[in-house]
């Protein structure tokens, strides 16, 4: 091989002319030995979020915003939307008397109710009350609206696989032609509703799991959604979990108690309503100062379906 430097540069110029590149000549490699540190570990405090939602509540009505939601944007440089690669998390608030109009979309969604009574979600014609600690599912393409007929401002967290849908270019969205669904049926028990009191009961009977990322854990649905799994996890006061890492992208929402989580060397002190993200392959470890309960929202089902779910204890 004795191609001259000039001949090589000409070849590379001709590659670009055809919108091509030599695999050996890439500016950035296409393959690497292990997941990159891309999305950042981060912590959002409910105490900071709530006043912002209240201010938005004074300025933005359901006429201007179909949803009064505040998304958690991962701080990695250049990011405009996802919380982790495949999932976006948001806080949402709905005021007494408001209706968040019906729509449907290909992204899967779920909600974790934080505070307030009198709020409902209507999913495919079934109207279900949402109470604090409850988790409600909105599977892909299901019609859904929310309403608040109570006296409290209601706060919850949303999790959606919108960033995955963006990556796969599979987005469809449509508003309901009637604004909200007609002929709605009130239901209390529903496969899309996981009640706080049921989760607490199941957790009490759950075995101790010293090797896992929580001391006791139950799964909601199996999995809850095709792309997202949900685990309600108990952390016992004064006892740290084993540090681990996984290819799954995980988001933790604090349902109860106080503690700290170390994600890849960053320490986050959390309390009720906070959100912590542990992006793929970042080691994480929890330690609660009082008995605590987290909701783990994970893209593990996506990774598993594709054969890419890997997890291990880490240092
Ligand atoms: O409540 O339907 O945070 O469609 C983002 C998109 C909430 C919802 C979000 C949504 C919703
Ligand atoms: Fe939606």
């Amino acid at each position: 091989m004795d191609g001259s430097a000039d001949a090589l540069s000409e070849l590379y110029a001709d590659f670009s002319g055809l919108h091509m590149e030599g695999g050996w000549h890439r500016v950035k490699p296409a393959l690497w030995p292990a997941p990159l540190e891309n999305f950042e570990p981060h912590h959002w405090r409910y105490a900071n979020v709530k006043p912002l939602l209240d201010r938005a509540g004074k300025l933005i009505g359901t006429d201007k915003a179909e949803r009064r939601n505040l998304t958690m944007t991962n701080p990695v440089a250049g990011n405009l939307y996802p919380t982790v690669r495949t999932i976006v998390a948001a806080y949402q608030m709905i005021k007494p008397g408001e209706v968040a109009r019906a729509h449907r979309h290909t992204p899967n969604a779920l909600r974790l109710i934080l505070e307030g009574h009198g709020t409902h979600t209507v999913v495919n014609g079934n109207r279900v009350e949402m109470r604090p600690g409850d988790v409600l599912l909105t599977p892909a393409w299901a019609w859904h609206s929310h309403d608040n007929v109570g006296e409290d401002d209601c706060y919850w967290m949303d999790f959606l696989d919108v960033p995955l849908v963006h990556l796969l270019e599979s987005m469809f969205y449509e508003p309901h032609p009637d604004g909200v669904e007609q002929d709605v049926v009130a239901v209390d028990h529903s496969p899309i509703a996981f009640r706080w009191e049921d989760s607490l009961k199941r957790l009490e009977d759950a075995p101790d799991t010293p090797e896992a990322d929580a001391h006791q854990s139950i799964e909601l649905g199996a999995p809850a959604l095709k792309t997202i799994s949900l685990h309600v996890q108990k952390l016992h006061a004064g006892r740290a979990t084993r540090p681990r890492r996984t290819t799954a992208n995980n988001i933790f929402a604090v349902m109860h108690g106080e503690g700290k989580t170390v994600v890849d060397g960053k320490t986050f002190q959390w309390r009720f309503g906070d959100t912590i993200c542990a992006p793929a392959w970042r080691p994480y470890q929890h330690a609660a100062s009082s008995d605590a309960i987290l909701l783990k929202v994970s893209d593990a089902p996506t990774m598993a379906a594709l054969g890419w779910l890997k997890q291990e204890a880490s240092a």
Side-chain angles (χ1 to χ4, degrees):
M1 297 288 168
D2 57 354
S4 75
D6 282 356
L8 261 184
S9 357
E10 270 176 42
L11 179 65
Y12 294 151
D14 288 348
F15 286 171
S16 345
L18 294 181
H19 297 286
M20 299 182 77
E21 184 55 294
W24 68 90
H25 184 242
R26 302 177 61 84
V27 178
K28 189 184 168 232
L31 306 171
W32 45 85
L36 299 178
E37 294 190 352
N38 186 6
F39 285 78
E40 298 286 346
H42 199 71
H43 172 205
W44 289 266
R45 287 183 180 83
Y46 185 45
N48 293 334
V49 172
K50 212 176 148 176
L52 299 184
L53 282 173
D54 292 340
R55 277 164 62 193
K58 294 203 173 76
L59 300 169
I60 300 291
T62 43
D63 52 326
K64 287 216 192 74
E66 195 155 298
R67 300 293 187 262
R68 187 184 291 109
N69 59 340
L70 194 52
T71 54
M72 294 173 238
T73 310
N74 190 282
V76 66
N79 180 44
L80 293 178
Y81 183 69
T83 308
V84 291
R85 173 61 85 193
T86 57
I87 302 175
V88 69
Y91 290 92
Q92 184 168 168
M93 192 268 270
I94 183 166
K95 296 201 291 184
E98 286 184 334
V99 175
R101 289 184 297 281
H103 64 209
R104 62 181 176 182
H105 37 66
T106 43
N108 294 280
L110 67 111
R111 315 177 203 290
L112 164 62
I113 310 312
L114 296 175
E115 290 187 274
H117 291 85
T119 193
H120 303 78
T121 188
V122 182
V123 178
N124 277 343
N126 292 312
R127 184 162 177 265
V128 189
E129 191 181 357
M130 309 195 282
R131 298 181 284 261
D134 291 356
V135 173
L136 293 301
L137 308 179
T138 307
W141 211 236
W143 290 113
H144 55 286
S145 63
H146 319 302
D147 66 66
N148 183 353
V149 297
E151 320 222 305
D152 308 335
D153 291 338
C154 290
Y155 302 82
W156 69 73
M157 296 172 64
D158 296 308
F159 302 87
L160 301 95
D161 58 13
V162 171
L164 178 63
V165 174
H166 287 171
L167 285 167
L168 300 179
E169 302 291 359
S170 46
M171 182 67 75
F172 290 92
Y173 161 88
E174 65 184 28
H176 195 283
D178 303 325
V180 290
E181 289 188 85
Q182 309 296 304
D183 304 321
V184 162
V185 180
V187 294
D188 193 41
H189 293 279
S190 165
I192 63 113
F194 298 93
R195 301 299 185 190
W196 177 230
E197 58 274 17
D198 295 339
S199 295
L200 290 180
K201 247 182 255 138
R202 287 183 59 201
L203 260 184
E204 268 180 28
D205 299 335
D208 205 283
T209 49
E211 301 299 318
D213 62 353
H215 302 125
Q216 289 170 283
S217 182
I218 59 154
E219 182 165 12
L220 307 182
L225 297 161
K226 278 189 183 152
T227 53
I228 295 175
S229 61
L230 300 176
H231 290 84
V232 180
Q233 304 189 304
K234 182 149 187 186
L235 306 173
H236 297 178
R239 188 176 145 199
T241 59
R242 289 279 181 90
R244 7 180 354 98
R245 61 180 179 179
T246 167
T247 51
N249 294 284
N250 289 332
I251 303 176
F252 299 95
V254 183
M255 301 176 86
H256 176 77
E258 293 182 17
K260 67 170 186 182
T261 297
V262 182
V263 186
D264 206 5
K266 282 193 187 160
T267 302
F268 305 121
Q269 295 281 349
W270 44 254
R271 46 173 307 186
F272 171 75
D274 289 7
T275 306
I276 301 97
C277 71
W281 217 234
R282 301 276 195 162
Y284 65 91
Q285 178 180 34
H286 306 297
S289 41
S290 63
D291 279 359
I293 300 180
L294 304 179
L295 179 68
K296 176 167 78 165
V297 179
S298 177
D299 68 2
T302 303
M303 295 295 175
L306 300 173
W308 300 327
L309 183 61
K310 180 178 162 81
Q311 43 202 334
E312 62 182 34
S314 70

